[in-house]
Amino acid sequence: MTNETATFRGWKKLPDNRIGHALFSLGMIARVPYFGTVAPNVVRLEPGVCEVTAPKWFGIHNHIGTFHAIAACNLAEVAMGMLSEATVPTTHRWIPKAMNVQYLAKAESGLRAVAQLPEVPDFGAITEGRDLVVPVSIYDKQGVEVVHADITTWVTPK
């Protein structure tokens, strides 16, 4: 028996190409429909790391025609959630607890969110609930970080 979540096992079964990424992302949206508002595409997923892209389209525009700040928060939560699914073993559970967001620059293009833990915790040592902060950097097409989010998750043994 594996301690990997069904989500992460599903990712690994699909081909590591545009079709596999699109199929995984569509399945994710089916499970979490609100994520679909930013049309996310998971392009990298492994324990401790997740990368998700989102196009700039009229449905995420704000009043000045840029990527809406809260849509960027939604993208950050997609990256954090998929990272958590790939990282937290089935012996534990996680839930978002808080989000601290910094809007660093106007987001005038599609975006790429990268959630990455500095190190993967030893989940065997987590016997009580504990906070796990997942940093998420969101970049525009030029590679400029336009949003940074630190999302605190609450991790407990089942």
Side-chain angles (χ1 to χ4, degrees):
M1 182 169 147
T2 179
N3 282 338
E4 293 177 343
T5 64
T7 302
F8 188 49
R9 286 193 313 272
W11 170 264
K12 292 190 333 181
K13 285 182 183 177
L14 291 168
D16 187 14
N17 60 29
R18 294 178 103 178
I19 293 170
H21 299 168
L23 289 171
F24 179 85
S25 298
L26 287 171
M28 174 190 68
I29 291 166
R31 293 280 317 250
V32 189
Y34 182 72
F35 284 172
T37 62
V38 294
N41 186 39
V42 179
V43 296
R44 180 177 176 204
L45 184 61
E46 58 191 67
V49 181
C50 180
E51 185 174 335
V52 184
T53 61
K56 183 178 175 219
W57 66 286
F58 75 89
I60 53 80
H61 285 178
N62 58 20
H63 65 289
I64 59 173
T66 62
F67 210 104
H68 193 284
I70 298 306
C73 288
N74 189 12
L75 181 61
E77 190 170 3
V78 172
M80 173 281 303
M82 292 299 100
L83 174 143
S84 296
E85 283 293 303
T87 307
V88 177
T90 58
T91 56
H92 290 68
R93 72 183 107 217
W94 63 274
I95 189 165
K97 183 177 172 183
M99 181 186 285
N100 183 350
V101 182
Q102 297 172 9
Y103 305 107
L104 306 172
K106 285 197 285 186
E108 300 185 279
S109 68
L111 300 178
R112 178 176 57 93
V114 179
Q116 186 161 9
L117 293 173
E119 73 177 56
V120 175
D122 174 8
F123 289 96
I126 300 176
T127 58
E128 305 272 330
R130 95 163 236 219
D131 286 342
L132 177 63
V133 177
V134 179
V136 183
S137 294
I138 301 178
Y139 304 96
D140 66 11
K141 295 278 187 190
Q142 287 71 45
V144 174
E145 186 175 15
V146 294
V147 177
H148 184 86
D150 289 313
I151 304 176
T152 304
T153 60
W154 181 244
V155 178
T156 59
K158 285 187 177 173

